Amino acid sequence: MSHPNSFYVTTPIYYVNDVPHIGHAYTTVAADVLARYWRLRGRDVFFLTGLDEHGQKVQQAAAKAGIDPQAHCDKLAPQFQEIWKRLNISNDAFVRTTDAPHKSVVQRYLQELFDKQLIYKADYTGWYCTFDERFWTEKDVTGGLCPDCKRPIEQLSEHNYFFKMGQYQDRLIDHIKQHPNFIRPESRRNEVLGFLTTQKLGDLSISRPKSRLSWGIELPFDKDYVTYVWFDALVNYVSALEYLRPTPSFEQYWPANAHLVGKDILTTHAVYWSTMLMALNLPLPETIFAHGWWTVDGEKMSKSRGNAIDPNKLVDEFGADAFRYFLLREVPFGQDGDFSQQAVISRINSDLANDLGNLLSRTLTLIERCTEGKIPNPALPNYPEEIEVRKIAIGLFDKVENAFNAFQLHHALAEIWKLIDRTNLYLEQMAPWNLAKKEREKEKLATVLYTAAESLRHIARYLYPFLPSTAEVIYRQLGLGAMPLDALKDGSTSERWGGNLQIGNPINKEQSLFPRIIDTIGELGFKKSFEAKLIKKGEPRVTEQPQPASAPPQGTATPAVPTAAPVSPAQITIDEFMKIQLKTAKVISAERVPKSEKLLKLQVAVGTEQRQIVAGIGKKYEPEALIGKTIVIVANLKPAKLMGIESQGMVLAAGDSEVRGLITLLEDVEPGTKVK
Ligand code: MSP
């Protein structure tokens, strides 16, 4: 039995028939998040990934490239290793099935099963497709055509070796029933159980005659055959423990805690691998987790469609952390999801730039400005708002741990965001920028800034598995230095509020975390344009270009509205209204947008933040007349572009097609104040 304090996580080993795409990146990033989390919790983690280099697919790809299969693998392997480095993947080992020690473990297991008479030779008759070089069963075939390539197929008989898989059927059903966490999520577990309890499990052909396929591991008991690629590949999960660690580590790590796989390869893992392990008298892994598939702009991703997304491009464009975040936040782990450039940009702008980036930058700016750049002393730590932030921060430990135990990675992120949102709200409620003006509020100000900084320390630690570089940067900027590798080891003590921040310690403000991204539609060279993604069947057409809504004048940035849907004059509830964040803002600078009569480009201060807003008020106002004015803006409007310039909000003005007057304030209210 593996050591209770260890954690062994694997990804599938990827076929080297093509370069890496986001599907590969997805499983690998998810495994990395698990590995990093359990390391933070002080567990001894072994994280394995690698390549599946044998079999038909690889042989065909090499033949197509006109090179020897091994040379083909050697050429492609670095592309996988390189992208894992770029994505900050912290794997402890990298297995390649052409490694000599792996091959000998596979041969040893084959021989063991052969000696135990669990492998036997028999005739196999089936429908064979010469083009795809594979057999199909009777039920797959309709009209004498290959279900895959639709070419005519023929009946073929050949001798093969079979593993007595069928005899383990009942044992496997019992195992699945007795171990509710063995196949996750629940829906997949039910699928496998459904199949196993209604169909007879046959034996598995584990050989291929060399005359048909030569690129594989030779059967130790018959040199005319190689072994079936799955028998070879699945063994990687144990062979790596024998030869990729300096010391024997089988006892330490086996059985694996988590095999992460895509839903398409669940059967090979849950049925082939489990029965192979039973036959070899080895314990079964704790969990096989099957995640969903990504489509791209609503379409299946495939080589032939040419829409496979290169993860390198995403790292180039958005950075590794933002891409990692998108993959795990956008879709509940286990379900299918759709990838689009627009979805990535929205996530970055709203969650990373607005919520997280803003929280860090406003906190540090205020500490720099108001407490000499040093962590202040929380002299009055018992305001109800402060107690609430503290409670959420302390409670996060259990929430995140539960989410990780259940592989609900999206849920862990959602919990972390609750703390980010609550801390942002806290800053707005306490308005430290106002406190800073009054000498008698000094202690309160110090408490508020300390609370925000301490909350950010918690946020950084929990974010680390997902956004390792960002978490390190937050830690550094808070003046905490490098994050300890086991920063969450002892939940009961190190989780305590105020455990690590040293009062009086200087912070280290650097550049902002995630600059907002201005939409670069199509510039990534993705197959489908952004427009196509927005128009889905049955949905009203939504356009990203600002449309004039009923009240604001033309050219003023307004929310995207569904143009095909009738504009309803219906009343809205107070909750709906509360979704619109109105705030005061002070105009810092204003200039005309070239070639436009109406548009002015404003830089406005909103609290400690500066924003750019493009407003259609240029016919009514000269830019200079606006500088220093306090106006009202919609602060939570999705950014949009007007004549190619990004607008991060909307200015409120009276008038219909023509602007009659800007909404301003009688008093000089602090910019960033809520308007309701
Ligand atoms: N070599 C086998 C695995 C052997 S494991 C002992 C294999 N390789 S693969 O390269 O074809 O696929 C590897 C993984 O990528 C699978 O988990 C698969 O689900 C995943 N994905 C491939 N396309 C995908 C998407 N479009 N979306 C998400 N994951 C996808 O199978």
Side-chain angles (χ1 to χ4, degrees), residues 315-329:
V315 178
D316 291 343
E317 200 71 22
F318 305 116
D321 275 8
F323 175 43
R324 290 169 64 109
Y325 176 75
F326 173 80
L327 288 177
L328 296 175
R329 182 62 201 261

Side-chain angles (χ1 to χ4, degrees), residues 118-181:
L118 290 169
I119 286 177
Y120 63 94
K121 194 173 186 183
D123 270 347
Y124 180 76
T125 306
W127 291 99
Y128 187 70
C129 170
T130 333
F131 181 80
D132 284 336
E133 298 186 39
R134 65 161 289 183
F135 278 98
W136 294 99
T137 59
E138 191 71 47
K139 66 175 178 4
D140 296 324
V141 176
T142 36
L145 298 178
C146 167
D148 190 34
C149 70
K150 312 285 182 235
R151 289 178 172 81
I153 49 174
E154 55 182 333
Q155 250 199 345
L156 197 84
S157 261
E158 72 182 23
H159 286 311
N160 260 315
Y161 288 90
F162 289 82
F163 161 52
K164 291 185 181 169
M165 182 162 77
Q167 73 182 46
Y168 298 98
Q169 181 160 11
D170 291 341
R171 221 175 116 185
L172 183 56
I173 293 171
D174 284 348
H175 185 88
I176 298 172
K177 285 188 173 160
Q178 279 161 25
H179 298 83
N181 287 331

Side-chain angles (χ1 to χ4, degrees), residues 17-18 61 64 301-308:
N17 57 342
D18 203 2
K64 209 170 153 201
M301 185 171 76
S302 74
K303 208 174 158 186
S304 54
R305 283 171 208 254
N307 63 351

Side-chain angles (χ1 to χ4, degrees), residues 12-15 21 23-24 26-27 52 57 230 233-234 236-237 261-265 269 291-295 301:
I13 48 173
Y14 305 110
Y15 284 128
H21 56 60
H24 304 125
Y26 187 43
T27 333
D52 191 352
K57 288 187 187 205
W230 275 100
L234 290 161
N236 92 88
Y237 299 133
V261 299
K263 63 180 183 181
D264 55 316
I265 55 171
H269 282 78
H291 66 67
W293 266 45
W294 287 94
T295 48
M301 185 171 76

